[in-house]
Amino acid sequence: MREYQLYIDGSFVPAESGQTFDSINPFNQEIVARVSRASAADAKKAVVAARRAFDKGPWPLMPREERSALLKAVSDKINEKGKELVALEVADSGSTIRKAKEDIFLSARSMNYFSKLAALDLTEPVEGLGKPGFSKNLIVREPIGVVAAIIPWNFPLKMATWKLGPALAAGNTVVLKPSELTPCTALELAQIIHEAGFPKGVVNIIPGFGPEAGEELARNPLVDKVSFTGSTAVGKKIMALAADQLKKVTLECGGKSANIVLHDADLDLAVDGALYAMFYHQGQCCEAGSRLLLSRKISAEFIQRLLEKVGKLRTGNPSDPSTDLGPLISRKQQERVLGYIKQGKKEGARIAAGGGVPTAHDLANGFFVQPTVFTEVRNEMKIAQEEIFGPVLTVIQYDTEDEAIALANDSMYGLGAGVWSRDNERALKIAGRLRAGTVWINEWHLISEKAPFGGYKQSGIGREFGIEGLKEYTETKHLHIDELGSREKKPWYDTVVPK
Ligand code: ADP
């Protein structure tokens, strides 16, 4: 069993209360790590350290190249420790080993990309304002200050790098709170950051629970921005807490993304795509393709092929490379998902696959749910409207493209969407009418640190990644530099100044 402490102001320290919590392996319920439990008092301490590092430390004014080099060192060290981090992510989060390998690789790649962003000068002239001899006008991007980052449990290390990378690249200092369900790899990252030699207090990592450490971060007046990824319900709470100081927020919340298969789709591709869209990481992805909208012309054949493939999915030990679906994150999540399955039956949807927990003896200690497919679903049913965050696919049929678009948009969420068709032009027209932050054509889950990602409607506020995401960690300053050089030439000279 590993042991971890809080990382505050460049030191590893116990919680002030001395309390700890255990992080549990969702496959076998063994304890992966005993972890110091940050309370509101620890969160305050971390915020004070980050504030000091921002206001008095070298970080925000450090030459861009130096900040960039430190981020690059983090990327390199993630790669060096890759094998260990993969195994830890599997044990702590129930991720299949195939997904965890990709996650760790992408965490390093993202940090490398953010290190390049850190070197960019984002200053630009104001178009159409000022000319030589009159004035010079610049848009300057400056760090916001102290960023509180709160992340969920589905992509633990990746999420940590996705928050820390751009926030640090822009020159902010950060307090990161990983999920209480998956704190381990973020705390390994703390060690990596420590070894890389960041100035004290620039990065603070405090494992703890939402209502204790999390709420304090959202509320604390020394925090300038909160960047959150998690459920819409918690996102709303965080925004309400942050409102008192008008803190900036980026919220990346829930989804119920519609996956539209047109009648002219390549069915081999679209069936596999639908499977990947839904069942990747047991459906525990905010952008999961959880509403499958099928053209009635192909729906019978599509469903038959889909069910054949669902029947072949291997649910099992996440460390085994042949496993497709591991356990859900927790007993609570398992019960929540099973509750939705019950609800779907009650509402009259038909279970075409799965619907319970696997019976295999060796899975008895894990929080498993079978990959489940509901057909005969109506879009107004709870299972089609609410985010289940588990391996439960709802299949809805449509007759016309207009109907498909209306169904897709009939949701409080707007995170992702997909269109499968052999005709790109037709798919693009549909994409233009979908109210979602990302639309994939003949693809799913492709989230890149280079392209903006985020939600319409109640899926969130703001965008992460790319230059656009970097700018969300900056304040914008208009810098006006007078070049007239004399009182008389000022346009306001005649108006208010007594001669
Ligand atoms: P998920 O949908 O991934 O379970 P949650 O929205 O419950 O996610 O949690 C995401 C993150 O938000 C976690 O780090 C969790 O500890 C934190 N959190 C939960 N409740 C609160 C809260 N009331 N205030 C601040 N953070 C919270």
Side-chain angles (χ1 to χ4, degrees):
M1 183 183 72
R2 292 169 182 251
E3 290 191 23
Y4 292 107
Q5 294 186 315
L6 319 179
Y7 184 58
I8 298 179
D9 208 16
S11 300
F12 291 90
V13 293
E16 282 199 354
S17 66
Q19 283 192 345
T20 59
F21 66 98
D22 291 338
S23 192
I24 304 293
N25 182 330
F27 171 61
N28 53 22
Q29 299 186 50
E30 282 171 11
I31 299 174
V32 181
R34 184 147 291 166
V35 184
S36 290
R37 175 173 179 156
S39 64
D42 299 297
K44 278 192 183 124
K45 206 163 95 182
V47 169
V48 166
R51 186 79 256 167
R52 199 182 315 118
F54 188 80
D55 293 340
K56 305 209 170 85
W59 186 251
L61 299 175
M62 191 181 263
R64 281 191 290 276
E65 294 67 29
E66 285 179 37
R67 284 206 298 254
S68 170
L70 281 167
L71 290 173
K72 173 76 168 68
V74 173
S75 167
D76 293 344
K77 277 176 188 282
I78 292 174
N79 274 329
E80 272 167 38
K81 280 197 176 177
K83 264 199 172 154
E84 185 190 344
L85 291 169
V86 169
L88 191 55
E89 204 76 304
V90 171
D92 205 28
S93 74
S95 167
T96 61
I97 188 156
R98 271 145 57 198
K99 169 185 169 282
K101 277 185 180 165
E102 190 186 53
D103 281 2
I104 304 309
F105 167 75
L106 291 176
S107 301
R109 195 186 76 178
S110 297
M111 265 304 181
N112 186 38
Y113 170 72
F114 296 128
S115 82
K116 289 185 181 145
L117 286 191
L120 293 182
D121 182 358
L122 296 177
T123 305
E124 50 186 311
V126 182
E127 288 302 331
L129 178 64
K131 45 186 172 178
F134 287 82
S135 69
K136 195 168 160 185
N137 289 273
L138 298 173
I139 304 169
V140 181
R141 301 283 180 168
E142 295 176 351
I144 300 178
V146 174
V147 171
I150 301 176
I151 57 172
W153 41 260
N154 50 353
F155 294 86
L157 185 69
K158 211 154 77 161
M159 289 282 177
T161 58
W162 282 353
K163 297 290 185 204
L164 286 173
L168 295 171
N172 301 281
T173 59
V174 186
V175 181
L176 172 80
K177 192 195 84 59
S179 167
E180 60 276 21
L181 297 170
T182 54
C184 294
T185 48
L187 290 160
E188 291 294 332
L189 186 62
Q191 187 63 43
I192 286 174
I193 283 167
H194 188 70
E195 287 165 16
F198 279 68
K200 270 176 29 177
V202 169
V203 180
N204 306 274
I205 301 188
I206 55 163
F209 288 66
E212 300 164 15
E215 288 194 12
E216 178 57 33
L217 292 180
R219 176 189 299 128
N220 193 296
L222 301 182
V223 169
D224 298 295
K225 161 153 186 151
V226 187
S227 181
F228 166 78
T229 300
S231 61
T232 292
V234 172
K236 288 180 187 179
K237 264 192 201 165
I238 286 179
M239 191 167 170
L241 290 169
D244 203 36
Q245 260 98 35
L246 284 186
K247 288 189 182 85
K248 315 291 180 271
V249 291
T250 297
L251 306 174
E252 203 276 274
C253 299
K256 193 75 189 179
S257 299
N259 190 5
I260 305 175
V261 183
L262 303 188
H263 66 86
D264 66 354
D266 172 343
L267 291 196
D268 287 333
L269 187 66
V271 167
D272 284 358
L275 212 67
Y276 171 56
M278 180 68 250
F279 296 112
Y280 179 61
H281 199 36
Q282 298 79 263
Q284 302 172 117
C285 304
C286 50
E287 80 290 357
S290 49
R291 279 189 304 151
L292 180 60
L293 307 187
L294 297 179
S295 160
R296 208 177 296 277
K297 289 184 197 146
I298 48 106
S299 62
E301 186 184 351
F302 195 99
I303 291 171
Q304 188 208 334
R305 288 208 210 176
L306 181 82
L307 293 176
E308 262 169 39
K309 291 239 161 145
V310 170
K312 289 184 187 153
L313 288 174
R314 285 170 180 241
T315 301
N317 184 340
S319 306
D320 178 343
S322 70
T323 294
D324 300 311
L325 271 79
L328 300 191
I329 188 65
S330 63
R331 170 79 68 210
K332 193 171 142 213
Q333 190 63 16
Q334 182 194 37
E335 284 169 0
R336 208 177 102 89
V337 173
L338 292 172
Y340 272 110
I341 293 175
K342 220 166 136 190
Q343 173 73 25
K345 286 191 213 162
K346 214 168 82 186
E347 287 180 298
R350 195 174 83 80
I351 294 216
V357 297
T359 48
H361 182 65
D362 56 337
L363 306 186
N365 286 330
F367 308 128
F368 286 92
V369 173
Q370 290 172 324
T372 298
V373 178
F374 272 113
T375 54
E376 297 169 30
V377 176
R378 279 174 291 110
N379 200 48
E380 61 271 21
M381 290 178 180
K382 266 197 173 160
I383 52 166
Q385 287 293 322
E386 296 184 11
E387 185 177 45
I388 298 175
F389 229 67
V392 181
L393 179 64
T394 55
V395 183
I396 300 171
Q397 296 173 31
Y398 67 85
D399 289 303
T400 65
E401 279 174 22
D402 281 347
E403 194 188 345
I405 292 163
L407 284 166
N409 289 337
D410 178 16
S411 168
M412 67 181 245
Y413 295 113
L415 192 58
V419 185
W420 300 80
S421 168
R422 284 199 171 89
D423 182 345
N424 266 354
E425 230 170 273
R426 168 190 247 151
L428 275 168
K429 273 196 195 136
I430 294 174
R433 295 171 63 194
L434 295 173
R435 309 266 303 145
T438 300
V439 180
W440 292 283
I441 294 173
N442 299 322
E443 184 53 282
W444 204 277
H445 286 307
L446 201 144
I447 296 172
S448 164
E449 65 276 359
K450 294 180 185 159
F453 177 72
Y456 283 37
K457 302 191 261 183
Q458 293 190 40
S459 285
I461 293 183
R463 293 292 181 269
E464 298 194 274
F465 312 139
I467 299 282
E468 198 159 336
L470 180 68
K471 285 182 177 171
E472 294 226 2
Y473 287 100
T474 64
E475 283 283 15
T476 305
K477 183 177 277 176
H478 170 202
L479 204 58
H480 174 98
I481 308 151
D482 176 73
E483 291 185 324
L484 287 170
S486 98
R487 246 170 31 117
E488 288 74 16
K489 287 187 195 158
K490 293 279 183 196
W492 44 262
Y493 183 63
D494 285 339
T495 57
V496 287
V497 182
K499 304 236 161 63

